[in-house]
Amino acid sequence: SGTASGQAASNICAPVKGTLVPLSKVNDPTFAQEILGKGAAIEPEDGNFVSPVKGTVQAVFDTKHAIGFLTDDGLEVLIHVGLDTVNLKGKYFEALVSPGDAVEVGTPILKVDLEGVKNEGYDVVTPILITNYMTRGDVISIDHGQVTTGDTIIKVIG
């Protein structure tokens, strides 16, 4: 795949149904200032999370609130469900994949009891980050509107 200019584009899809919000609006400077990576964020409508990419699961945090992927074309993608949700120590989170698993766009990866997380006082906004963007080209995020799983939310050119 590629374009006339020889620049390949990689698409990162929405891992959950919801409303897109710009990373800059996420109430956590680590994400808002793109310290961990560039991308987009989603205010999820349900707790069914799927893989945003075709590739391999690289990491499932013990607390299950974050999952890292390596795409077949070398992008490192991190999904981080909620802010400070590491403090829940896995409560309300059920991982459906393990490190080393091959995934397609849409493979179920995580079930989250969003109401439970919210009731404990946590923001469930979910950043989707390209963590190795420095070694790549442009990261173009679509950061508004309603999305459903499988919709393209981030394009990485080059």
Side-chain angles (χ1 to χ4, degrees), residues 22-127:
L23 266 187
S24 59
K25 299 273 192 287
V26 171
N27 195 14
D28 181 324
T30 308
F31 298 117
Q33 296 168 17
E34 299 184 340
I35 291 165
L36 289 180
K38 292 188 175 188
I42 295 177
E43 191 67 51
E45 273 174 32
D46 65 43
N48 299 309
F49 289 78
V50 302
S51 174
V53 295
K54 181 178 186 320
T56 309
V57 176
Q58 260 195 321
V60 178
F61 288 63
D62 288 345
T63 46
K64 303 178 182 64
H65 71 290
I67 298 182
F69 301 87
L70 180 63
T71 71
D72 287 353
D73 48 12
L75 290 174
E76 291 172 7
V77 178
L78 179 70
I79 296 176
H80 191 288
V81 181
L83 304 181
D84 298 319
T85 42
V86 62
N87 300 331
L88 290 169
K89 299 183 169 55
K91 190 178 179 187
Y92 309 115
F93 291 82
E94 181 191 352
L96 307 176
V97 289
S98 303
D101 286 359
V103 289
E104 302 286 333
V105 171
T107 302
I109 56 167
L110 193 62
K111 281 186 87 68
V112 183
D113 175 356
L114 292 179
E115 289 310 308
V117 175
K118 287 182 198 170
N119 289 341
E120 299 257 3
Y122 292 90
D123 188 336
V124 294
V125 69
T126 298

Side-chain angles (χ1 to χ4, degrees), residues 127-145:
I128 301 98
L129 305 173
I130 314 293
T131 55
N132 65 337
Y133 71 92
M134 302 79 73
T135 64
R136 305 299 287 240
D138 294 324
V139 176
I140 301 157
S141 305
I142 299 157
D143 56 15
H144 57 275

Side-chain angles (χ1 to χ4, degrees), residues 3-18:
T3 59
S5 66
Q7 291 264 342
S10 303
N11 291 345
I12 311 297
C13 299
V16 70
K17 184 174 191 279

